[in-house]
Amino acid sequence: MSAPALPTNRDENWRYANLRPLAKARIDAVAAPETTGSRIELPAVLPGFERWVFVDGRFDAANSTRAPDSCAELLSFGAAGETLAAMLDTEIETAGVDFALARLNGARGDQVLVITPGDGAETRIELNFVSTTSAAAGTSYPRVQVHCGRGSHLHLVERHLGSGAADAAINAAFDVALRADAQLDHCRLQNCADAASCFDTLVAHVGERATYRLRTVTLGGLSSRSTIFVKLAGREARCELLAAAIANGTQTHDFFAEIEHAAPNSVTRELFRGIANERGKLGFNGKMIVRENALDADSDQSLKTLLTGSGAEAAARPQLEIYTDRVRAKHGATTGKLDEQMLFYLLSRGLDRAQAQALLQWAFIEDAVSQVQLAPLRQEIEQLIAVQLSEVSALDGLVSRS
Amino acid sequence: MSAPLLKIENLSAAVGGKKVLQGLSLSVNAGEVHAIMGPNGSGKSTLSYVLAGRPGYEITGGKIEFEGRDLTTLAPEERARAGLFLGFQYPVEIPGVNNVYLLKAAVNARRKAQGLQEVDAYEFLQMVRAKTKLMQMDESFLSRGVNEGFSGGEKKRNEILQMLVVEPRLAVLDETDSGLDIDALKVVARGVNSMRAADRGVLLITHYQRLLEHVVPDFVHVLTRGRIAKTGDKSLALELEQRGYDWVLEVA
């Protein structure tokens, strides 16, 4: 089969992404390993969660701990597609260049994890995607479909981690659907190896009075790009999108998030906090669409980036497309440097400059990270951020306790 | 006799190219409390920032010695570690950095500079709690972000709490009394008085004499047009209160 056309920096929603690693990676899926079940270093299992582990995009039974009554199962791609189509009230639009990576995932991947909490069920699942293979040997294609039944509540933790080869290529795709009154708490941590490229496409469909909370923390990889489409399809549907990212060295983290208000009284809360150090680059393009019938929709965007290196770049862009008058849409975007007054205050208390700077960066990003409600996961993330910002010791005592 | 705690000689300083301090001289010995009063724009805050080493405050002439060392060659953090403390007129809010963390970092920075071990976490917390109580602050303030959502009065109390915890050799308090009601003023005064000791000095920069009813200074200086125009004892503060600053200008 011929390779589908991939996005380039000339495409409108892809200007800030670093697409070079994508172009260089071998497009075929990483071959299934000859032996499975080798020991992989992972954080402790979150209390009450069932654990799924995927290595280079493939299910790793030996490292997973499935619940006996699990609502998640592994399907072949064709079967999963039919399941999702049957579950949704409307079709998810997947044409155009923004979905090219998701289509590539569909064409090259072969396993799909389908998670279907039944009506009223409360479920906790963590997904760990571990990359061990160099991009020269192939790409990982994780694929997950989530369908939350009426009034169900799913706590979903998704980690992307590296082990072994530093330059893995990941192309993940998520399809999410929430029935009426469902709640999905989805926490995503991208902490891939230094030279990895991590691309993902997420499409979500939120029904009546349902709430989708997506908290995403991006720390690892040389190049990452998240493409997020959320449709608030039912009355009073709600989306809380919170993203935090730190780009050090020559890292590039790019986000495109389009949230479509397609029903009355739908609500969005979007918050981005990003730090670009050294020659790091950050992009966050938050597009908000309010359809004609989305009367009294309410959207709030707060996008802030902090530049601390002379070669660092950041672009935080809120976009609004509004087709009704009865709407409340608030948006703010700032790109700035460390506050000189705060810095001087800390210096005047005897803290050295590096510690004071790390502390202020910590405070900036903590604005977002403090909203990760799952305490053990928040601590795990805070530890990683402390390491990324400075020596751990300098920020010891700030990591929250459970 | 040992060197004065602070010795300022003929100091000139400019902010944004504008001359603010013009030949200021002042000497503070250990054990003394000095009050500096003066009208708006006389250079009071500039003096405090110059002492603390704030960027943008340029020394154009004169000398500042702290315990015999040239203060002007030290970075702001080195001045703090040497035992200089500035209580800010407008303390900044730093959400996300909690108060206890900052207090501990400040104490440990100074201890490290003195070649001492870090404080014991338990003893430190006990000490901070006692001082928080003295300042009539709720303990919940300790776990909140630095000055985050504090009222004006709470911020000023927090400055004094920081001073009590770091135990500086010289505290420069820049209009710590402004914006305080009488009860808060008494609490702040109690904090400052509890710091008075034979080996410490205090420089109180103030606009009004009412703080000086509660913290009785050894010396009162009038700062006008960037220099000390008159020095006296506590009675000078009362005279200023009654007659204003203009007569000092006429005499000077």
Side-chain angles (χ1 to χ4, degrees):
Chain A
M1 99 186 66
S2 67
L6 294 177
T8 70
N9 290 127
R10 285 187 299 279
D11 292 307
E12 192 188 340
N13 298 328
W14 295 83
R15 295 211 177 112
Y16 290 85
N18 174 5
L19 300 167
R20 285 185 302 276
L22 186 71
K24 280 197 281 186
R26 186 177 156 91
I27 207 164
D28 297 319
V30 177
E34 285 166 19
T35 55
T36 55
S38 57
R39 185 95 183 92
I40 287 169
E41 285 289 321
L42 286 170
V45 179
L46 294 163
F49 278 69
E50 71 170 279
R51 166 170 281 183
W52 288 72
V53 178
F54 294 79
V55 176
D56 297 326
R58 288 196 162 76
F59 178 55
D60 177 3
N63 284 297
S64 300
T65 50
R66 293 179 59 180
D69 57 344
S70 178
C71 65
E73 62 177 326
L74 211 55
L75 296 177
S76 71
F77 197 83
E82 285 166 26
T83 312
L84 185 72
M87 289 184 310
L88 291 183
D89 299 325
T90 56
E91 207 164 301
I92 289 177
E93 169 70 46
T94 55
V97 71
D98 292 335
F99 296 94
L101 290 171
R103 288 196 301 272
L104 178 62
N105 174 295
R108 302 284 169 155
D110 52 10
Q111 290 178 323
V112 184
L113 180 69
V114 180
I115 303 173
T116 52
D119 292 354
E122 178 152 15
T123 311
R124 292 179 168 78
I125 296 178
E126 58 165 86
L127 309 176
N128 298 278
F129 298 98
V130 185
S131 298
T132 66
T133 306
S134 166
T139 300
S140 299
Y141 291 105
R143 181 119 198 164
V144 178
Q145 291 184 355
V146 180
H147 177 255
C148 298
R150 288 176 196 280
S152 65
H153 191 172
L154 172 63
H155 304 264
L156 183 68
V157 171
E158 173 195 352
R159 295 189 187 91
H160 293 269
L161 307 167
S163 169
D167 68 337
I170 299 109
N171 174 357
F174 272 67
D175 303 300
V176 172
L178 278 74
R179 288 267 185 193
D181 300 301
Q183 290 194 59
L184 171 54
D185 282 292
H186 182 181
C187 286
R188 170 183 273 182
L189 167 64
Q190 192 273 84
N191 193 34
C192 290
D194 292 351
S197 61
C198 189
F199 291 76
D200 66 81
T201 311
L202 186 150
V203 179
H205 187 274
V206 186
E208 272 189 359
R209 298 177 305 275
T211 297
Y212 181 28
R213 296 184 199 89
L214 174 62
R215 320 247 185 262
T216 170
V217 177
T218 305
L219 302 174
L222 180 65
S223 168
S224 79
R225 155 74 184 213
S226 286
T227 307
I228 298 166
F229 287 88
V230 178
K231 183 170 184 175
L232 299 175
R235 201 173 269 275
E236 293 175 49
R238 182 178 176 96
C239 175
E240 296 174 18
L241 170 58
L242 180 136
I246 301 176
N248 282 343
T250 56
Q251 285 184 299
T252 300
H253 301 313
D254 186 40
F255 298 82
F256 174 79
E258 180 180 298
I259 298 174
E260 180 186 356
H261 291 252
N265 300 101
S266 46
V267 177
T268 298
R269 293 289 177 266
E270 183 174 277
L271 185 130
F272 174 66
R273 296 289 180 269
I275 301 176
N277 287 315
E278 296 158 317
R279 286 160 57 212
K281 290 188 176 62
L282 289 172
F284 190 101
N285 187 346
K287 188 172 178 182
M288 208 63 77
I289 301 173
V290 181
R291 297 287 175 210
E292 207 171 356
N293 63 336
L295 296 176
D296 300 310
D298 177 351
S299 84
D300 192 326
Q301 286 176 291
S302 166
L303 316 178
K304 292 186 184 174
T305 56
L306 185 61
L307 298 175
T308 65
S310 53
E313 290 176 32
R317 289 157 295 156
Q319 286 185 63
L320 290 171
E321 233 182 82
I322 298 179
Y323 299 98
T324 173
D325 291 336
R326 275 173 54 187
V327 62
R328 181 185 166 278
K330 213 177 122 192
H331 62 97
T334 60
T335 292
K337 295 189 182 298
L338 283 180
D339 185 299
E340 287 297 329
Q341 289 192 46
M342 291 186 191
L343 189 61
F344 178 66
Y345 191 83
L346 295 176
L347 295 175
S348 80
R349 297 304 181 242
L351 279 65
D352 61 45
R353 191 166 283 269
Q355 188 185 8
Q357 285 169 340
L359 206 49
L360 291 177
Q361 292 184 37
W362 168 274
F364 180 83
I365 205 95
E366 184 65 5
D367 203 13
V369 173
S370 62
Q371 294 187 41
V372 173
Q373 265 144 20
L374 195 60
L377 182 69
R378 186 175 63 246
Q379 284 165 32
E380 179 186 325
I381 292 168
E382 287 177 343
Q383 294 281 4
L384 292 170
I385 288 173
V387 172
Q388 191 131 357
L389 292 181
S390 77
E391 315 139 63
V392 194
S393 61
L395 295 171
D396 196 20
L398 283 178
V399 174
S400 63
R401 318 231 180 271
S402 48
Chain B
M1 196 183 138
S2 61
L5 209 47
L6 179 70
K7 191 175 173 194
I8 304 174
E9 275 181 13
N10 203 23
L11 180 68
S12 299
V15 186
K18 184 172 171 269
K19 287 180 187 172
V20 181
L21 299 183
Q22 304 185 63
L24 185 146
S25 295
L26 176 70
S27 199
V28 178
N29 290 307
E32 293 174 354
V33 174
H34 290 239
I36 294 189
M37 304 182 71
N40 286 330
S42 59
K44 298 193 302 293
S45 284
T46 297
L47 173 61
S48 70
Y49 285 141
V50 166
L51 289 173
R54 185 173 192 140
Y57 289 74
E58 191 200 349
I59 294 175
T60 51
K63 285 202 294 193
I64 309 173
E65 283 182 0
F66 184 67
E67 298 192 292
R69 290 169 76 184
D70 180 1
L71 192 70
T72 61
T73 60
L74 302 180
E77 62 272 27
E78 292 168 327
R79 298 179 193 203
R81 289 177 211 155
L84 181 82
F85 178 89
L86 170 62
F88 283 72
Q89 184 179 2
Y90 302 109
V92 291
E93 298 192 17
I94 313 182
V97 175
N98 75 48
N99 265 313
V100 167
Y101 178 88
L102 177 60
L103 289 169
K104 203 165 160 188
V107 167
N108 281 333
R110 186 138 177 247
R111 289 178 66 90
K112 197 174 157 193
Q114 292 169 332
L116 299 171
Q117 292 230 310
E118 292 200 347
V119 287
D120 174 82
Y122 179 78
E123 284 172 23
F124 178 76
L125 205 57
Q126 295 302 314
M127 181 269 280
V128 169
R129 281 189 177 139
K131 291 182 173 175
T132 304
K133 208 170 164 187
L134 180 73
M135 292 314 295
Q136 295 187 7
M137 292 166 72
D138 193 275
E139 264 188 38
S140 65
F141 278 89
L142 295 173
S143 54
R144 281 167 62 179
V146 173
N147 295 321
E148 185 181 2
F150 288 21
S151 70
E154 287 162 350
K155 286 179 183 170
K156 296 299 179 75
R157 282 190 217 193
N158 199 30
E159 293 294 289
I160 300 301
L161 173 67
Q162 291 180 23
M163 175 191 78
L164 294 178
V165 170
V166 301
E167 300 183 331
R169 302 271 290 144
L170 176 69
V172 179
L173 303 178
D174 186 7
E175 301 208 21
T176 302
D177 54 334
S178 64
L180 294 184
D181 62 32
I182 189 68
D183 292 328
L185 186 79
K186 282 179 181 168
V187 173
V188 162
R190 190 195 309 157
V192 176
N193 284 328
S194 77
M195 238 251 341
R196 294 181 87 149
D199 61 345
R200 295 198 190 127
V202 179
L203 198 56
L204 286 176
I205 293 172
T206 180
H207 204 66
Y208 307 102
Q209 71 87 34
R210 61 176 195 160
L211 174 67
L212 307 182
E213 288 173 14
H214 304 281
V215 182
V216 180
D218 300 299
F219 299 92
V220 174
H221 309 276
V222 182
L223 181 63
T224 56
R225 295 173 187 159
R227 67 172 68 119
I228 303 290
K230 192 171 176 60
T231 293
D233 61 13
K234 61 179 179 180
S235 63
L236 177 58
L238 282 169
E239 200 172 354
L240 289 167
E241 185 86 346
Q242 284 157 8
R243 300 176 63 183
Y245 290 107
D246 289 347
W247 68 274
V248 183
L249 287 173
E250 285 156 20
V251 179

